[in-house]
Amino acid sequence: DAGVIQSPRHEVTEMGQEVTLRCKPISGHNSLFWYRQTMMRGLELLIYFNNNVPIDDSGMPEDRFSAKMPNASFSTLKIQPSEPRDSAVYFCASSLGGDGPLHFGNGTRLTVT
Amino acid sequence: GESVGLHLPTLSVQEGDNSIINCAYSNSASDYFIWYKQESGKGPQFIIDIRSNMDKRQGQRVTVLLNKTVKHLSLQIAATQPGDSAVYFCAENIGQGAQKLVFGQGTRLTINP
């Protein structure tokens, strides 16, 4: 089992640029989650999908953030335009429906200068 | 125990000793709780979970205790090893159906040789 795969592992970009983070969930898992981790705020849920449908996006900071899940094996989190305060580690996680723990990828460390 | 703030609570334990990490959760309606371990540069890794209809659950070298009366969760690690050094997070499920986990701020556990 390859686990949750995220890319890139590191992303450095300039303020104003578009950033796209990618995630491949564990095969067979039908729930997918995007989290953000910072020293100040810890781990925060941004959005989650169930069967490729967004269920709760109340954690998305603002309209600059968007997430898609075009199929069961791929999701993207996009920030446009990016700002320095978006700098954080972004984690993707997946789970088998509503029962069972989340399994996390190793994250994308985003730095916006 | 865990607290909201900029500084992670820390716990130092001698190798071979037992450790106890505490967590206070906020929502009395939460029905599912998980402990995660996070090593530097990696995503949170599932350790053990417990549902609200249980008080105790044991795994390999780990035990989770749940006290719903005082909304308290603890993780006991027996015979600690150097590889147990990490940040430990408790998480509570506040959502219906698919997991909507809210994470604590974490406790840094250091195992001294």
Side-chain angles (χ1 to χ4, degrees):
Chain A
D1 187 348
V4 175
I5 299 173
Q6 292 186 246
S7 64
R9 284 284 277 138
H10 302 275
E11 177 79 39
V12 180
T13 191
E14 292 184 345
M15 184 174 70
Q17 297 297 307
E18 177 180 295
V19 174
T20 300
L21 311 181
R22 296 173 175 80
C23 175
K24 177 179 168 55
I26 293 173
S27 178
H29 283 191
N30 60 347
S31 294
L32 183 140
F33 306 77
W34 283 100
Y35 279 82
R36 177 171 68 177
Q37 186 176 39
T38 62
M39 285 298 294
M40 288 290 292
R41 301 174 67 89
L43 272 162
E44 301 174 279
L45 176 63
L46 301 178
I47 184 171
Y48 76 88
F49 295 83
N50 197 33
N51 294 321
N52 311 339
V53 176
I55 302 300
D56 186 341
D57 65 354
S58 60
M60 295 286 261
E62 48 197 273
D63 292 345
R64 296 185 297 106
F65 285 68
S66 62
K68 293 182 180 180
M69 192 164 185
N71 57 62
S73 59
F74 184 66
S75 176
T76 59
L77 178 67
K78 186 176 293 187
I79 308 173
Q80 167 63 20
S82 58
E83 297 182 3
R85 61 193 168 118
D86 301 332
S87 297
V89 181
Y90 290 81
F91 288 103
C92 176
S94 68
S95 73
L96 190 58
D99 194 19
L102 274 61
H103 297 268
F104 285 79
N106 282 328
T108 294
R109 180 174 293 278
L110 174 65
T111 303
V112 183
T113 60
Chain B
E2 297 189 5
S3 62
V4 176
L6 297 179
H7 302 288
L8 282 181
T10 58
L11 176 64
S12 291
V13 176
Q14 208 67 24
E15 182 179 353
D17 288 351
N18 299 332
S19 67
I20 300 176
I21 301 171
N22 297 302
C23 174
Y25 62 92
S26 59
N27 190 338
S28 56
S30 295
D31 61 355
Y32 181 60
F33 305 87
I34 309 179
W35 279 99
Y36 283 91
K37 171 187 180 184
Q38 187 175 24
E39 297 173 282
S40 180
K42 295 185 178 180
Q45 177 187 2
F46 169 78
I47 302 174
I48 191 167
D49 57 2
I50 189 168
R51 300 198 180 274
S52 58
N53 61 351
M54 301 174 68
D55 298 322
K56 179 179 178 179
R57 190 164 188 226
Q58 288 184 291
Q60 188 176 18
R61 286 200 305 117
V62 295
T63 300
V64 55
L65 298 177
L66 175 62
N67 186 331
K68 295 180 288 293
T69 302
V70 294
K71 292 189 287 186
H72 183 269
L73 196 66
S74 68
L75 177 70
Q76 301 176 0
I77 305 174
T80 53
Q81 303 169 357
D84 295 331
S85 293
V87 177
Y88 289 80
F89 295 93
C90 68
E92 60 179 309
N93 178 39
I94 63 170
Q96 299 293 324
Q99 309 299 349
K100 185 170 181 178
L101 296 180
V102 173
F103 284 78
Q105 289 295 307
T107 296
R108 183 178 301 280
L109 175 65
T110 301
I111 308 301
N112 301 312

